[in-house]
Amino acid sequence: MQISEVVALAQALMRCPSVTPEDAGALDVLQKNLEETGFVCHRLTFSDEGTPDVENLYARFGTAGPNFCFAGHTDVVPVGNADAWSVDPFNGTIKDGTIYGRGAADMKAAIAAFATASKRFIKESGEEFAGSISLLITGDEEGPAINGTRKVLDWMAENGEKIDHCVVGEPTNPQELGDMVKIGRRGSFTGYLTVIGTEGHVAYPHLADNPVPHLAAMVGALDALVLDDGTEHFQPSNLEFTTIDVGNPATNVIPKSANATFNIRFNTHHSLDSLEHTIRGVLDSVAELRGCHYELDCRKNSSPFLTPEGDFSALIVEAIEKRLGRKPELSTTGGTSDARFIKDFCPVVEFGLISQTMHKIDEQANVADVEALTDIYTDILRSYFVTQG
């Protein structure tokens, strides 16, 4: 079976066990490919206290504007139980027209499509197109996301590297290639709630203050909270409790404290600060009513964003329709991605492969989809530089 250029590159990337924060040679493979095309590459390693060092890559072909950027990540999540896989998770095995392995869907095959599409476009255009193509690739998307994309973006700003539009290659399609383009993402807010009581013997409750009923009341109040009804582009904001913990092994001891953790995925009706104000207001009311004390640690993970429908999203949709005969839904569903950092620098959308098997055993991508994605990315570049020129 003859392997296409894009699939061979995807296999080479997938054969690097780059589980966050390890690079395992993945950026070397990509850099070699890009330099052969004429890209100038910058390897950027960033550090931060309490986090592992992370390698990143910024590569650019051309020096003029506009600068069209492809963004993504070579890091992957752990394979889990390797014995449960039907193939070696780091071999890029092809069976019956499907490539298997960690990173097939999320998102090494899409990165191979970036590089191959850029090479095709540059080869057919020479150096005559008006602008530049860049790739922003991190090794810290699946991890803390501290030493990755946002620090690369800061480095770019400090070094006069401006990007004008960006496509992130996350797996956006629920069922078939061309189902969905992400034009925004909800924000993420995490709350760590602790209710402080007074420890004591269960036979003498009047000498103690049990934090568990107080916590239950607070959990109930927050669970009943209706944040909004959604917007034209976003579903309603949603608060979900992820754990409730007391850590008390004794059945005859009233615990000193009780804890709960919740996460809110929220739309543009709210900001991170306004959410905190709302949550504290609810908790203050319960605490006053019950005469109890609580502590709330807030982690303001990311703000919601929307790239308004317009020429850029239309260009992406047209390229998909041309190749697949399918008009994608413009959506803001799903979790977070590094687009949340890029949106502060330029308009950004996300489009990649099918998402069904990402992070799963036997993660996979259809070879025909990888090749079609490469064609779509190539058409996006063609249309972009015609319209920008």
Side-chain angles (χ1 to χ4, degrees):
M1 174 180 167
Q2 186 173 1
I3 304 297
S4 67
E5 182 179 15
V6 65
V7 172
L9 179 55
Q11 285 181 305
L13 291 169
M14 291 166 63
R15 286 168 181 160
C16 302
S18 53
V19 176
T20 318
E22 298 299 325
D23 173 64
L27 291 179
D28 289 337
V29 170
L30 182 59
Q31 180 172 340
K32 182 176 184 295
N33 179 278
L34 293 172
E35 287 179 340
E36 289 173 353
T37 304
F39 279 81
V40 176
C41 294
H42 302 272
R43 290 288 284 271
L44 306 167
T45 301
F46 295 112
S47 306
D48 212 312
E49 185 177 356
T51 63
D53 292 356
V54 174
E55 286 193 73
N56 306 275
L57 172 67
Y58 175 71
R60 179 169 178 167
F61 183 96
T63 56
N67 181 4
F68 184 96
C69 182
F70 288 114
H73 60 92
T74 49
D75 64 316
V76 297
V77 297
V79 301
N81 180 7
D83 292 335
W85 286 68
S86 66
V87 297
D88 180 342
F90 291 116
N91 189 54
T93 302
I94 296 175
K95 295 193 302 183
D96 300 324
T98 299
I99 184 168
Y100 292 83
R102 185 58 86 221
D106 188 16
M107 54 168 286
K108 290 182 175 179
I111 289 175
F114 290 164
T116 305
S118 299
K119 180 177 181 179
R120 286 182 188 173
F121 177 74
I122 291 166
K123 184 175 181 180
E124 71 183 37
S125 303
E127 298 184 11
E128 298 177 3
F129 70 95
S132 301
I133 302 171
S134 59
L135 273 71
L136 191 171
I137 309 297
T138 182
D140 190 29
E141 197 274 346
E142 301 288 7
I146 291 173
N147 294 319
T149 296
R150 58 179 168 182
K151 288 192 176 180
V152 177
L153 289 163
D154 290 341
W155 175 91
M156 290 167 60
E158 291 167 3
N159 287 273
E161 288 288 337
K162 178 180 181 295
I163 53 177
D164 295 279
H165 291 86
C166 182
V167 169
V168 179
E170 290 288 348
T172 56
N173 302 284
Q175 300 292 334
E176 294 184 274
L177 187 69
D179 277 346
M180 186 176 289
V181 172
K182 299 288 179 73
I183 59 169
R185 293 278 188 165
R186 292 176 295 171
S188 175
F189 177 105
T190 302
Y192 300 90
L193 172 62
T194 300
V195 177
I196 310 298
T198 302
E199 189 176 41
H201 197 295
V202 296
Y204 302 92
H206 59 288
L207 299 178
D209 181 18
N210 195 332
V212 176
H214 300 320
L215 178 66
M218 290 183 174
V219 168
L222 290 178
D223 188 59
L225 183 62
V226 177
L227 290 166
D228 57 70
D229 296 320
T231 73
E232 178 184 359
H233 292 287
F234 287 92
Q235 62 199 92
S237 301
N238 185 53
L239 184 154
E240 289 292 335
F241 282 91
T242 57
T243 187
I244 296 176
D245 305 290
V246 178
N248 181 14
T251 60
N252 61 348
V253 175
I254 293 172
K256 179 176 178 56
S257 64
N259 308 282
T261 302
F262 59 89
N263 181 264
I264 306 172
R265 295 301 166 103
F266 64 100
N267 59 42
T268 50
H269 277 310
H270 311 274
S271 69
L272 289 162
D273 289 340
S274 72
L275 269 182
E276 180 178 2
H277 178 77
T278 298
I279 297 302
R280 289 190 183 277
V282 171
L283 297 176
D284 286 345
S285 296
V286 175
E288 183 178 2
L289 180 66
R290 299 184 64 88
C292 62
H293 174 70
Y294 77 90
E295 296 175 355
L296 180 66
D297 180 17
C298 300
R299 301 292 171 86
K300 299 177 180 181
N301 306 313
S302 61
S303 297
F305 74 93
L306 178 72
T307 298
E309 295 181 47
D311 292 344
F312 185 45
S313 59
L315 184 153
I316 307 299
V317 169
E318 288 168 8
I320 294 167
E321 282 191 288
K322 174 184 174 182
R323 290 289 174 175
L324 304 176
R326 183 180 301 119
K327 186 172 183 177
E329 175 188 353
L330 299 179
S331 172
T332 61
T333 58
T336 59
S337 77
D338 278 1
R340 69 188 189 270
F341 305 127
I342 298 167
K343 55 88 177 173
D344 293 329
F345 292 79
C346 71
V348 56
V349 301
E350 301 174 53
F351 181 68
L353 291 163
I354 296 171
S355 60
Q356 281 191 0
T357 63
M358 61 181 181
H359 295 199
K360 292 185 178 181
I361 301 295
D362 280 353
E363 181 179 348
Q364 60 194 258
N366 187 285
V367 168
D369 284 349
V370 176
E371 292 169 344
L373 182 64
T374 307
D375 292 337
I376 291 167
Y377 287 157
T378 306
D379 287 342
I380 288 171
L381 290 173
R382 289 170 180 148
S383 297
Y384 181 82
F385 287 105
V386 167
T387 57
Q388 294 294 321

